[in-house]
Amino acid sequence: MRAVSLRAAYMPLVDAAPLIVAHEMGYDQAEGISLDLRPAPSWSSLRDMLAFGHVDAAHLLSPVPVAMALGLGGIVTPLSAVSVLSVNGNVIGVGRQLEARLRENGYAFDFSDAFAAGAALAKAAGGTLTFGVPFPFSMHVELLRYWVSGTELASTQVEIRTVPPPLMAQALAAGEIDAFCVGEPWGSFSVDDRVGALLLPGNAIWSCAPEKVLAVRTDWAQTEPHLTGALLRAIWRAGRWLSNPESLTTASEMLAQRLYLDVPADLVDRALTGQFAISARGDQRQVDRFVTFHEGATGFPWRSQAKWIAHHMARRYGLDPSDAERTAADVFQSDLYRRELQGIGVVMPADSEKPEGAGNDPTLVSGPGGKLMLPQNVFFDSRIFEPSQ
């Protein structure tokens, strides 16, 4: 039987790995589909490719389908997040001038303490700071704003500008931005290009942030349930392959190809292993669980994650938080995910929501297929988001 071609858009980032691996390793063919992977030049164009039917599925920023459901951004095509593709994976970095000021002030670039990093950056910034982010509706923005509001940066005048990920280092070098929050490998690219230094990994702000989702149009998921299921199974198998340490060298070389990210394999390897060079001086830092694709039910689309995103968007855009949370809960398709993966022995949570930020330690939970260990889930300021309240 000939495989059904599925068009899937992605941005050239390390966290597009599940889609790329599913195609390169033949997990799509094993499910009777053939992924036609199409790179996009920006997040707005990728969103539009999906919303207007030019592709069937997309590697998408987790807040985008939530924002669309809330009527933000001008395009309101209903999208469903049928799986989380990656958890964590962002870095915050600064330009060379800020790096120099931070070092003059004695900051040690520990690459882990969000409070200390915020205090040091506030002092070095001198009252104003311009951040580059890939898109207005993104986990980059949510993490930045959450971090700024909870540290000494709250007294700094912060401006956030949109810069496509591959152009972040160029914008930093040109002085268009002072700092950035971006997905790998583009933070490390700025280090190797000697225009930036890394200040903090995203998981130092929220240890379990849903970064990218596998998104489809809601009507497509409803009319093509067999293709949706096949796509989910192929992506799940790709995530499992990526979780094997023995796969990482091959994965780095695969993603680095000109066809996909078109960067040195070493840059990809840093994100996959968590071993970072954070400055042109060669300082090394290790980050556990910098980005994950499988462990601890990474792929499960928790409705509480969608509610957290909606809650903060609602407060920023003057919407009712309770209404926004209820709307967002329908975007992350927990029940669909369970239904399509239960037949291949995937262990999944029984609940669709959990208190976000309450997991100081890994937590053992039961669900269909057995028990699984959920990873640490904490915010840097120890707050807890309870979706039922």
Side-chain angles (χ1 to χ4, degrees):
M1 182 182 295
R2 186 175 180 179
V4 178
S5 178
L6 289 187
R7 301 160 299 172
Y10 71 96
M11 281 289 285
L13 292 159
V14 170
D15 53 31
L19 275 171
I20 295 169
V21 167
H23 178 60
E24 289 285 328
M25 296 297 293
Y27 296 123
D28 55 350
Q29 296 286 336
E31 293 293 337
I33 58 176
S34 177
L35 287 172
D36 176 8
L37 299 180
R38 304 186 180 189
S42 68
W43 285 113
S44 58
S45 62
L46 188 150
R47 175 201 60 188
D48 295 351
M49 289 166 70
L50 180 61
F52 298 135
H54 301 304
V55 295
D56 305 305
H59 155 247
L60 196 59
L61 297 156
S62 59
V64 168
V66 173
M68 292 170 70
L70 298 180
L72 302 173
I75 296 177
V76 294
T77 303
L79 299 183
S80 290
V82 295
S83 174
V84 172
L85 286 178
S86 60
V87 164
N88 302 325
N90 292 325
V91 289
I92 294 173
V94 297
R96 294 301 298 272
Q97 288 187 346
L98 271 179
E99 179 192 2
R101 289 183 209 150
L102 285 162
R103 293 190 187 280
E104 288 171 3
N105 293 339
Y107 184 63
F109 284 81
D110 61 73
F111 208 50
S112 62
D113 188 333
F115 280 113
L121 187 56
K123 182 178 179 180
T128 62
L129 193 60
T130 300
F131 275 99
V133 299
F135 199 61
F137 306 115
S138 63
M139 189 54 66
H140 312 84
V141 169
E142 300 307 329
L143 291 176
L144 269 181
R145 290 193 177 279
Y146 191 83
W147 176 52
V148 166
S149 68
T151 66
E152 292 183 30
L153 283 167
S155 61
T156 301
Q157 182 179 340
V158 173
E159 180 183 353
I160 296 179
R161 295 182 182 174
T162 300
V163 180
L167 301 181
M168 201 66 75
Q170 182 179 323
L172 199 64
E176 297 170 5
I177 56 175
D178 304 309
F180 60 77
C181 182
V182 73
E184 283 292 279
W186 302 111
S188 290
F189 186 86
S190 75
V191 172
D192 281 16
D193 217 28
R194 308 184 72 84
V195 298
L198 303 185
L199 184 70
L200 209 62
N203 67 359
I205 299 171
W206 183 8
S207 68
C208 207
E211 175 55 30
K212 303 298 189 305
V213 295
L214 178 64
V216 300
R217 290 181 305 282
T218 301
D219 61 355
W220 188 87
Q222 293 168 347
T223 58
E224 302 288 354
H226 298 300
L227 295 180
T228 302
L231 180 58
L232 277 172
R233 290 188 292 273
I235 293 298
W236 183 86
R237 290 190 166 99
R240 181 177 60 179
W241 182 84
L242 282 161
S243 71
N244 185 346
E246 296 179 359
S247 301
L248 297 186
T249 298
T250 301
S252 297
E253 294 171 352
M254 186 186 298
L255 297 174
Q257 293 179 79
R258 185 175 183 180
L259 180 64
Y260 299 123
L261 273 61
D262 192 20
V263 296
D266 170 65
L267 289 185
V268 180
D269 190 64
R270 294 179 203 180
L272 295 181
T273 62
Q275 183 64 49
F276 283 90
I278 66 164
S279 76
R281 295 167 42 157
D283 304 315
Q284 300 287 316
R285 300 289 186 272
Q286 177 65 42
V287 184
D288 294 333
R289 293 182 59 83
F290 172 76
V291 61
T292 61
F293 302 104
H294 182 74
E295 303 93 331
T298 290
F300 190 77
W302 293 94
R303 290 173 182 159
S304 48
Q305 295 173 338
K307 287 185 174 184
W308 184 89
I309 294 168
H311 179 85
H312 290 275
M313 281 186 177
R315 293 176 62 188
R316 190 156 64 251
Y317 290 99
L319 305 177
D320 181 83
S322 297
D323 290 344
E325 289 177 37
R326 283 192 292 271
T327 299
D330 293 331
V331 175
F332 277 40
Q333 295 284 323
S334 309
D335 293 339
L336 185 152
Y337 185 89
R338 285 196 195 90
R339 183 177 70 246
E340 298 300 338
L341 292 182
Q342 63 183 355
I344 60 172
V346 179
V347 180
M348 292 172 282
D351 296 324
S352 296
E353 298 185 357
K354 65 184 186 302
E356 300 295 342
N360 289 315
D361 299 303
T363 305
L364 185 66
V365 299
S366 299
K371 296 182 179 181
L372 75 157
M373 188 70 72
L374 299 182
Q376 181 193 53
N377 182 359
V378 294
F379 295 103
F380 79 98
D381 57 4
S382 300
R383 292 187 180 183
I384 296 174
F385 175 76
E386 177 55 71
S388 63
Q389 298 178 0

